[in-house]
Amino acid sequence: MSIKDILTVLSFVLSTTAGPVLHGNGGSVPLTQRRSCTNDDGWFDHGMAAERVARDHNKHRNNLMNLQKNCGREAFNEGANILPPMDFTSGLQNKKRQSESLVDEDNDEYWAGRLSIGNPGESFLVNFDTGSADLWVPSTNCTDSQCSPKQKYNSSASSSGVPTSSSFLIKYGDGSSVSGPVWTETVVAAGVKVTAQNFSPVNTLSPMFGNEAADGIFGLAFPAISSMHKTPFLLNAKNQGRVKSATFGIKLAKTKSELYLGGTNPSLYTGDIEYHSVTGKAGYWQTSGGNLVVSNSLIASSLTTIIDSGTTFIYGPPDQVDAMYKSVPDAAPYASMPGFYSFPCISAPSNVAFNWGGKNWTISAANMNAGKVSLTQCVGAIAAKDLGLGKNTWLIGDSFMKNVYTAFSFDNNSVGFATLK
Ligand SMILES: *[C@@H]1O[C@H](CO)[C@@H](O)[C@H](O)[C@H]1NC(C)=O
Ligand SMILES: *[C@@H]1O[C@H](CO)[C@@H](O)[C@H](O)[C@H]1NC(C)=O
Ligand SMILES: *[C@@H]1O[C@H](CO)[C@@H](O)[C@H](O)[C@H]1NC(C)=O
Ligand SMILES: *[C@@H]1O[C@H](CO)[C@@H](O)[C@H](O)[C@H]1NC(C)=O
């Protein structure tokens, strides 16, 4: 037996003797959501929603381009294709959004938390994103104006940073990009310390990140969609003996939101976690065999579903989304936001659910309601959009995740849901 085999057996024994992958010696990062697409008075923020749709589109376009580069087109979901980029800067709505952000300094709309990079540790606020797979923060070498309000990684102030020969690049539809060299560094998140973690200290930062409170992004998906194509943080943590289980759990809610690294946090859910195997080679936390139900009717079946904490809404194929809203009393396409639907606020549906052959995981009326657009009408959180991710494929974001506790396991390649406590 080689040392590697012994270690593999040992880590297997450690993870199994610890019982099911419930909680390892991991820890949690509190998450805050400072802003959503619903403003404080409950109105739907059109400009922000339009910007979000474009961002989601372009993020997944980049993921597909990375997937093609890393694994070839044979890794694509059936029917997946790289769509043209969506422009952020066009349209009155984005101008409105930009002017709003000038008066609102604290408008981070994602689920952000802290981690530290370097020795001694330099602290960053990052968006934890299960729909992408790279870790990047601005570098002191970034001279773009949008870098100036951010925390920046200073390689001269750290004894543990090592440059590699690789580089990192994400391109956006407006021609802007996020790019920089790839370094290895000590990264600590939730008390879990990993050495020689690949990350990018970026020296160009697209203006689309200028509005955000977060400094960078911590992608939590698989290397297949990563620009760096390197081992994810949590697998390194397990390999380095820092956690027993390469599993993480997420709770997204108004209060007590957190990311748990190295297991799940049983104090936040009740009952068992219903796990489903990750399917396909697309690099996402993706499962198959999903069903969309409204009350007693099955609306769509055999769905491929991607769980993405970095996406606000839920996007599905237009015909299926339309069929779903036909079961919602008085719902109709919302002309001002293509792909979105509106309904009377008082009848926001509380009976829309996804299931994967087990429990029905229902979306609450509050989470189905993305905000008021008139005194009586509200916009729904499920929108009809083809992001090129594949046939029958749904991108399931925070509007769903806020209803459940979600577990993501690299150990047995599965995504699970549990009932929030
Ligand atoms: C994944 O691991 C958990 C915890 O050990 C287990 O309960 C679950 O059944 C597993 N799921 C799959 C799909 O293997
Ligand atoms: C910043 O730039 C300096 C000078 O070019 C270089 O030596 C250093 O490696 C760069 N640091 C990072 C993190 O890119
Ligand atoms: C980076 O750190 C070095 C060493 O501590 C310090 O001299 C330098 O001023 C720092 N640079 C920036 C831009 O903060
Ligand atoms: C889920 O909802 C569908 C449609 O109402 C129903 O047929 C099915 O029995 C439900 N499943 C469970 C496990 O309750």
Side-chain angles (χ1 to χ4, degrees), residues 15 19-22 245 247 272-278 409 411-415:
S15 61
V21 189
L22 287 178
S245 161
T247 298
D272 289 337
I273 298 177
E274 180 190 294
Y275 278 100
H276 298 283
S277 294
V278 167
S409 176
D411 287 341
N412 61 8
N413 218 20
S414 59
V415 181

Side-chain angles (χ1 to χ4, degrees), residues 15 27 66 86 99 104 114 140 152 162 172 241 261 267 368 380:
S15 61
N66 290 337
M86 196 178 273
S99 62
D104 187 347
R114 296 229 151 245
T140 47
K152 292 176 277 287
V162 180
Y172 292 96
L261 289 171
S267 72
M368 270 298 289

Side-chain angles (χ1 to χ4, degrees), residues 189-206:
V192 176
K193 177 175 163 181
V194 166
T195 54
Q197 174 64 41
N198 282 271
F199 86 109
S200 181
V202 303
N203 44 38
T204 67
L205 185 62
S206 162

